[in-house]
Amino acid sequence: MQVVVPYATRDPKSRLAGVLDADERRAFARAMRADVVDAVRDAGGEPTLLTTAPPRDAGGGAERTDGVPVVVDDRPLTDAVNDALPDEPGEAVAVVMADLALATAAPLSRLFETAGDVAIAPGRGGGTNALVVRHPDFRVDYHGASYRDHRRIAADAGLSVGVVDSMRLATDVDEPDDIAEVFLHGEGRAREWLADAGFEVVLREGRVGVARSD
Amino acid sequence: MQVVVPYATRDPKSRLAGVLDADERRAFARAMRADVVDAVRDAGGEPTLLTTAPPRDAGGGAERTDGVPVVVDDRPLTDAVNDALPDEPGEAVAVVMADLALATAAPLSRLFETAGDVAIAPGRGGGTNALVVRHPDFRVDYHGASYRDHRRIAADAGLSVGVVDSMRLATDVDEPDDIAEVFLHGEGRAREWLADAGFEVVLREGRVGVARSD
């Protein structure tokens, strides 16, 4: 399975600005991206990074991407992803967001195996965190509540839709509360990065949150 | 599978007080409970309501529970649930919270079929939204971050743990944002109740929320 992993290089994870500065957000976003790429490979997928600008390391040079091909496309997410989707019947392309820090091989394999012209893993809050497109008539629209829009787009084109019920794929890391989920269920570099950065789990009103000790 | 559905009758869903008054919260909680009971039955389970006081209808009389047996236990949740768990090897009891408004037969069947002395469906924020207990040495502790605690309790007793990765079971409806998930993915009475009460989906900062029109 060809798997596109979109990754915006400009001001990643801006809604975490209250708990992480700009350099930290970039480093944390890279750690999550590396976890997603590992999970895609573990599930038998062939990842390609789709970025808005060439990845740079801290010194401004070309960033190592651990052998993952990079496609640079500075257009909005929707246009860039649509360019990567199948043009011919019989092709299949998956799109997996780079901030799914809980993604592992098991739920991604479930996604890849879910039947349908389109298979969707909805995100919390109505997003589309991951999907598989197997029909050239489907195109994405990430603006707004994309889960409902994608179901409508598929229905309007007469295409079948499968839905994957996964907490791991539903959890995109956008807000401070999401960081707690990485602590609870993460198994990779993103969790390690948070621990190294001094975060720890705290209890708030019966739910788990995070606090920073340094 | 015997399935205990705990349901607190006193001031249910207090964190929804900003969007629903006390009578509405009670009605909404009942709608969610009915959906959970339906889903348990559809998955082949035999539900029992575990309540803190006899369910009453709006007039103060005994509330209809649609043929579901009711056990009244006014002790804290942890004590009441532990009393319902297996005493003998070979027994199995599931516990499914009454506010899992997205629960359907499919994820509950996955839970019931997940191997392990204990099988857990974690909730968002570190809770334990549903579990199956197949060993008399396991006891619950719902105080605090119960997912981690339950894993530790099992490990300390040398018991195996299975985990179910389900967005539907991970979504307990506690806060206004959770209501949006019911709108997006709900298929039963809770969603219908919200629509009748005048709620509708709105977009806020790229995620879906709810607003009330009446």
Side-chain angles (χ1 to χ4, degrees):
Chain A
M1 177 80 73
Q2 298 292 327
V3 182
V4 175
V5 180
Y7 178 79
T9 56
R10 218 186 79 191
D11 195 24
K13 298 295 116 195
S14 55
R15 279 185 275 169
L16 295 178
V19 294
L20 295 173
D21 70 27
D23 284 345
E24 289 173 330
R25 281 182 277 135
R26 193 167 295 116
F28 179 55
R30 285 177 184 176
M32 293 198 287
R33 188 187 72 191
D35 286 343
V36 169
V37 164
D38 285 348
V40 166
R41 284 173 162 160
D42 290 347
E46 295 168 44
T48 297
L49 286 179
L50 176 61
T51 75
T52 51
R56 300 280 174 195
D57 67 19
E63 183 194 336
R64 285 188 48 165
T65 60
D66 294 330
V68 182
V70 176
V71 171
V72 177
D73 190 328
D74 64 359
R75 290 177 297 169
L77 177 64
T78 293
D79 299 325
V81 166
N82 278 332
D83 228 34
L85 292 183
D87 292 316
E88 303 290 338
E91 294 177 22
V93 172
V95 182
V96 178
M97 293 302 163
D99 62 351
L100 305 186
L102 305 189
T104 54
L108 285 174
S109 296
R110 276 206 280 141
L111 170 68
F112 297 163
E113 290 160 10
T114 295
D117 295 319
V118 183
I120 303 180
R124 182 173 167 84
T128 301
N129 284 359
L131 85 168
V132 176
V133 179
R134 299 189 181 92
H135 199 289
D137 287 352
F138 183 84
R139 287 298 181 263
V140 295
D141 179 357
Y142 283 107
H143 187 79
S146 66
Y147 174 67
R148 294 201 303 176
D149 291 342
H150 287 152
R151 293 201 67 133
R152 186 180 42 71
I153 291 167
D156 288 349
L159 303 177
S160 62
V161 176
V163 177
V164 180
D165 174 22
S166 165
M167 182 268 287
R168 288 188 173 276
L169 298 185
T171 306
D172 47 328
V173 179
D174 282 326
E175 299 177 3
D177 277 356
D178 301 325
I179 290 179
E181 304 297 324
V182 182
F183 255 104
L184 285 164
H185 305 290
E187 301 171 3
R189 296 180 233 195
R191 188 187 191 286
E192 193 177 344
W193 189 92
L194 289 170
D196 287 348
F199 283 90
E200 57 192 7
V201 168
V202 296
L203 279 177
R204 267 201 316 260
E205 297 175 25
R207 285 196 174 185
V208 167
V210 287
R212 200 162 181 181
S213 59
D214 66 347
Chain B
M1 177 79 74
Q2 298 293 326
V3 182
V4 176
V5 180
Y7 179 79
T9 55
R10 217 186 80 191
D11 195 23
K13 299 293 114 195
S14 54
R15 279 185 274 168
L16 295 179
V19 294
L20 296 173
D21 70 29
D23 284 345
E24 289 173 330
R25 281 180 277 134
R26 193 168 296 113
F28 180 54
R30 284 177 184 174
M32 293 198 287
R33 188 186 73 191
D35 286 343
V36 168
V37 164
D38 285 348
V40 165
R41 283 172 163 160
D42 289 346
E46 295 168 43
T48 298
L49 286 178
L50 176 62
T51 75
T52 51
R56 299 278 174 200
D57 67 19
E63 182 194 336
R64 285 188 48 165
T65 60
D66 293 328
V68 182
V70 175
V71 171
V72 177
D73 190 330
D74 64 359
R75 291 177 298 167
L77 177 65
T78 294
D79 298 326
V81 166
N82 278 332
D83 228 35
L85 292 184
D87 291 318
E88 304 289 339
E91 294 176 23
V93 173
V95 183
V96 178
M97 293 303 162
D99 62 351
L100 305 187
L102 306 189
T104 55
L108 285 173
S109 296
R110 278 206 279 143
L111 170 69
F112 297 163
E113 291 160 10
T114 295
D117 295 319
V118 182
I120 304 180
R124 182 174 166 84
T128 301
N129 283 1
L131 84 170
V132 175
V133 179
R134 300 190 181 90
H135 198 290
D137 287 353
F138 184 84
R139 287 298 180 264
V140 295
D141 179 357
Y142 283 107
H143 185 80
S146 65
Y147 174 67
R148 295 202 302 176
D149 291 342
H150 287 152
R151 294 202 66 134
R152 187 181 41 71
I153 291 167
D156 288 350
L159 303 177
S160 61
V161 176
V163 177
V164 180
D165 174 22
S166 165
M167 181 270 284
R168 287 188 173 275
L169 299 184
T171 306
D172 47 327
V173 179
D174 282 326
E175 300 177 4
D177 276 356
D178 302 325
I179 290 179
E181 303 298 324
V182 182
F183 255 104
L184 284 165
H185 305 289
E187 301 171 1
R189 297 180 231 196
R191 187 186 192 287
E192 194 177 345
W193 189 92
L194 289 170
D196 287 347
F199 282 89
E200 58 191 5
V201 167
V202 295
L203 278 177
R204 266 200 318 260
E205 297 176 23
R207 285 196 174 186
V208 167
V210 286
R212 200 164 182 180
S213 59
D214 67 349

